[in-house]
Amino acid sequence: TCRKLLENPHDDRFIRRIVTCDEKWVYFSNTDKHNQLLDPGQMAEPVAKRDRFSRKALLCVWWNFEGVIHFELVPNGRTIDADLYCDQLDRMYASLGEKYPALINRKRVLLQQDNAKPHTARRTQEKIKNLEAIELLPHPAYSPDLAPSDYHLFRSMAHFLRGRSFNNLGGVENGCREFFASKNKEWYRNGIAQLADRWVQAIDSNGLYFKT
């Protein structure tokens, strides 16, 4: 599958099959770290650093060429393990079946995920095998440049949430929904379509990390 995708990086038949997922901390209070225009010799205004005890929730999101398929917020203090991730996969799979039944019926889903331990655990691998419509795309270790959520979704989301504060988990969830809804289908498609191009760049650079 990867070879065919690399040979035809802009083939909609593959772009429409890819579902990508990742996790990101979303803070209740998001500092506005705006750029400061300074005169020579002028001191920059101090920006408060976020401490590790700041209230936050872990966003887990699955999306494709048209938008978000499923997302969940894990409250502060709860970590993602293989058990939770497998439960999330079941819920994502159900949402995928409702929105794209043809992909499920034809067993045509290409899942792109990174190599975090919950993703590579034996239980997770067995779960994915049981979800027969899913085929895993390979992902090199430590490669955020090859993860659409890192290079596309989360980068824009951080800008969208900058300067905003939320009182509770429901507010964070509404903020996430607002961001997802603010992007049109072409924006999501562009993020997925970049993946094959980035694979080609990675091959051309002998697997070295590259910045864009």
Side-chain angles (χ1 to χ4, degrees):
T1 298
C2 287
R3 181 180 298 175
K4 292 180 180 178
L5 184 55
L6 289 171
E7 291 173 353
N8 301 280
H10 302 292
D11 191 332
D12 261 3
R13 291 176 299 174
F14 291 106
I15 292 173
R16 290 171 177 269
R17 294 172 59 190
I18 295 174
V19 173
T20 185
C21 68
D22 214 330
E23 296 87 32
K24 169 185 172 59
W25 287 113
V26 179
Y27 289 85
F28 282 55
S29 180
N30 299 277
T31 305
D32 186 0
K33 297 181 179 180
H34 57 276
N35 294 328
Q36 301 180 33
L37 299 178
L38 305 175
D39 295 326
Q42 182 181 359
M43 296 293 293
E45 296 179 7
V47 177
K49 291 185 178 180
R50 183 184 289 120
D51 66 66
R52 63 190 182 96
F53 300 107
S54 297
R55 294 180 70 196
K56 59 189 176 182
L58 186 62
L59 169 66
C60 309
V61 59
W62 290 259
W63 58 285
N64 70 352
F65 73 105
E66 288 190 326
V68 171
I69 295 167
H70 178 72
F71 80 95
E72 299 183 7
L73 288 171
V74 181
N76 194 14
R78 176 75 189 274
T79 58
I80 299 290
D81 56 22
D83 290 339
L84 176 56
Y85 187 64
C86 287
D87 290 342
Q88 291 178 328
L89 283 175
D90 280 332
R91 292 188 283 272
M92 180 280 295
Y93 197 75
S95 295
L96 188 63
E98 292 176 2
K99 297 176 181 178
Y100 302 95
L103 280 180
I104 298 295
N105 294 336
R106 298 176 184 175
K107 302 180 180 180
R108 302 281 287 172
V109 182
L110 300 175
L111 178 62
Q112 188 281 328
Q113 60 181 15
D114 64 22
N115 294 314
K117 287 184 178 180
H119 299 169
T120 59
R122 179 178 297 177
R123 178 160 188 247
T124 301
Q125 298 303 306
E126 292 174 352
K127 165 62 69 175
I128 291 174
K129 287 181 181 179
N130 291 334
L131 301 176
E132 296 181 352
I134 291 180
E135 176 183 349
L136 271 180
L137 289 175
H139 183 80
Y142 310 110
S143 302
D145 49 331
L146 299 178
S149 294
D150 281 318
Y151 66 70
H152 193 70
L153 188 78
F154 293 157
R155 182 181 297 179
S156 181
M157 188 174 192
H159 179 77
F160 181 86
L161 296 178
R162 189 170 62 189
R164 300 186 62 176
S165 296
F166 307 102
N167 295 323
N168 50 46
L169 191 63
V172 176
E173 181 176 344
N174 289 336
C176 292
R177 290 187 186 278
E178 185 180 345
F179 167 71
F180 297 146
S182 71
K183 302 299 183 180
N184 59 30
K185 292 181 179 180
E186 184 60 29
W187 186 86
Y188 286 102
R189 186 193 181 284
N190 182 52
I192 297 295
Q194 289 182 48
L195 181 58
D197 288 334
R198 286 169 172 265
W199 280 346
V200 172
Q201 287 181 270
I203 292 171
D204 291 344
S205 62
N206 295 317
L208 297 177
Y209 175 81
F210 59 88
K211 294 184 178 180
T212 57

